[in-house]
Amino acid sequence: MVSPSATSVPPWAREPHVEPADPTGRTHTLLVVGPGDGQTGTAVRAVAAGWQEELGAAPVHRHDCADAAVAVDALHADLAVARVGHRVLVAGTAEACLAVRAAAVRAGLADDELRFGAVAADVRTVWCVHCSATTTAAVAAGGVVACPGCARSLLVYEHVSRRTGHHLGFMVDAEDQPWEESA
C-alpha cells in the first residue's frame, strides 16, 4: 500500500473531512452537490451552512446541484465572470468532489483556490488502464473491482488523476497470467 504522504489522493477523498473556508477570498462559489434527501444530503447541507457561517458577509454564490455534472456547469458559469480572489467550495461525497475538482483544475484553478467538504468517501470512480472504461463502485483503495469494459479484476490503486478525478485501476493478477511469446 502507498503511504498517505506519497499519494495523489487528497485526505478528504480517503475519509470524510471538511476543510475550512478561505476567508481571504473576495467572492466565493459554493457548490452543494448530491442527494437532497437522507443522511448524506443532510450532512452536505450542514457543511454548506457551516461554510456560509464562517464566511459571514462575504459574497457567496450558492448552487444546490443534483449531481457533479450540474455542479461543473454552475462552476463554469461562475468562473466566466470571476475576478481575482475568487474561491470555490464544494460540499458532497468524495466522488462528487473529485469530479468537480478535476473540472476546476482543467479550468486553471489552483489548489489554494479550492476547498472541499466530503461527507462520505466509500464510492470511487475507477479508470481501467487496459481498456479505458470507468466504473463506479463502493470499494476501498487497495480493493478489487470488475471492469465493465474488459472484465478484468482491477486493483483500485491509491492514485487519483487531477485531470479526470478517477482512481487508477489495473489488473490485480497480471503477473500470474500466461502470456504469449511474440513470433
Side-chain angles (χ1 to χ4, degrees), residues 6-170:
T7 179
S8 61
V9 181
W12 48 263
R14 288 193 291 271
E15 60 185 52
H17 176 75
V18 178
E19 297 178 324
D22 180 359
T24 65
R26 289 181 52 203
T27 61
H28 299 80
T29 290
L30 172 54
L31 301 167
V32 184
V33 187
D37 298 328
Q39 190 174 18
T40 301
T42 301
V44 170
R45 286 189 301 280
V47 169
W51 278 336
Q52 287 188 285
E53 187 175 318
E54 273 184 70
L55 294 171
V60 177
H61 304 111
R62 179 179 171 143
H63 302 276
D64 291 290
C65 307
D67 57 32
V70 174
V72 168
D73 289 344
L75 172 67
H76 287 299
D78 279 10
L79 291 179
V81 296
R83 301 284 185 249
V84 172
H86 192 80
R87 302 293 184 258
V88 176
L89 303 108
V90 184
T93 64
E95 177 194 11
C97 288
L98 285 169
V100 175
R101 175 182 175 235
V105 167
R106 288 191 308 268
L109 272 73
D111 288 337
D112 62 347
E113 296 171 308
L114 303 166
R115 295 292 187 269
F116 298 93
V119 300
D122 54 342
V123 175
R124 289 168 174 70
T125 301
V126 182
W127 177 76
C128 176
V129 301
H130 307 285
C131 72
S132 296
T134 58
T135 185
T136 302
V139 60
V144 177
V145 65
C147 176
C150 64
R152 288 180 170 96
S153 294
L154 303 177
L155 174 70
V156 180
Y157 195 64
E158 192 76 37
H159 170 75
V160 168
S161 166
R162 288 177 53 80
R163 187 181 56 79
T164 66
H166 301 151
H167 283 261
L168 177 70
F170 56 87

